[in-house]
Amino acid sequence: MANILREGDLELLSGKVAVVGYGSQGHAHALNLHDSGVTVQVGLREGSQSRQAAEEAGLSVGTVAEAVRGAQLVAILLPDQVQPRVYAEEIAPSLEPGAALLFAHGFNVLYGRIEAPAGHDVIMVAPKGPGHIVRRLYTQGLGTPALIAVAQDASGRARDLALAYGVAIGAGRAGMLETTFQEETETDLFGEQAVLCGGVSELIKAGFDTLVDAGYQPEIAYYEVLHELKLIVDLIWEGGLSYMRYSISDTAEYGDYMRGPVVIDKHVRESMKKVLANIQNGQFAKEWIAEMDEGEANLKRVRAEERAGRIERVGEELRALMAKPEAHGER
Ligand code: NAD
Ligand code: MG
């Protein structure tokens, strides 16, 4: 079994940490670091709408260049698309000698879109959860697990620095796993494409369409294949597949074993292998980088189509009728 790490030497973070970007991960890292006693300055572009929120939370805020100046570590928590440009124009010119660069995802380093000069540690602390959960669990005394990795070890203590940062954002409370930029990036891309985002979305839509096309009410189909999914996933998250299967009826459990593999058959496993191979050979990265360079026309087109889909309209109506535990922010 892989070694789960929990400890880190916070003394290694005695200087200023620049957190560039105050979005999902940025706000969580900045606030958790601050609450752990680390000196943090948030770097934002001029006129950023996040400035007020960061200041009201008690954080020091500056431009990206101001935050980077004097920082011993720069956490680059911008959208992956804009990182190369902001790095080249606003971070690199102000980077202190020996300052470490930290990423929460390996894409830009693995595919050579950001190349740090020698003399700088290049590390990763990638929480395995959305930023808002990283923050919420920390405030509850808990943590989100994280992957840590070193791409460039200039100081000889790059790994220790990553561990310290992981502990400071609360990941030590849940456990940190050591990986490489390559393993994190390839498994992350595969997970979101084949299972978490792509796979699940298509499974839901296929189930919904099958029921509706067969004449069942769309509202019933929505509850059945989308709404209930969360309740099932919560059980799986809590106690694994066995706990979920213990909680459902024997009829559901029998159907699960006998019909699940009929739907997710050998063909699906073959397709998953193709999707993985496409990531491993760099084709996916090439395609996505070209898309970014050309203004993301395909992303915007499919996003609009998907938002207009039948299941989304039914869901909007039904969710408006259901009481919600809390707001989920802007869409
Ligand atoms: P985000 O889109 O939520 O936030 C990005 C922040 O950058 C925002 O504050 C935005 O205003 C700011 N920004 C955008 N363009 C900018 C520019 N040109 N100059 C300065 N600031 C700019 O991003 P995120 O989802 O937190 O992702 C940050 C990193 O964390 C990425 O590398 C991502 O892969 C990684 N990551 C994200 C999650 C997640 O839950 N969202 C999970 C793990 C890793
Ligand atoms: Mg991921």
Side-chain angles (χ1 to χ4, degrees), residues 128 188 192 196:
K128 290 284 99 184
D188 194 67
E192 65 206 16
L196 305 174

Side-chain angles (χ1 to χ4, degrees), residues 21-25 45 50 77-80 82-83 85-86 104-105 127 129-131:
Y22 199 70
S24 178
Q25 290 295 322
R45 51 190 162 170
S50 306
L77 301 175
L78 301 165
D80 295 307
V82 309
Q83 287 182 11
R85 192 190 55 71
V86 176
H105 178 40

Side-chain angles (χ1 to χ4, degrees), residues 250-265:
D250 285 358
T251 308
E253 187 183 3
Y254 179 80
D256 168 346
Y257 300 141
M258 298 305 151
R259 297 296 184 272
V262 174
V263 175
I264 306 297
D265 57 8

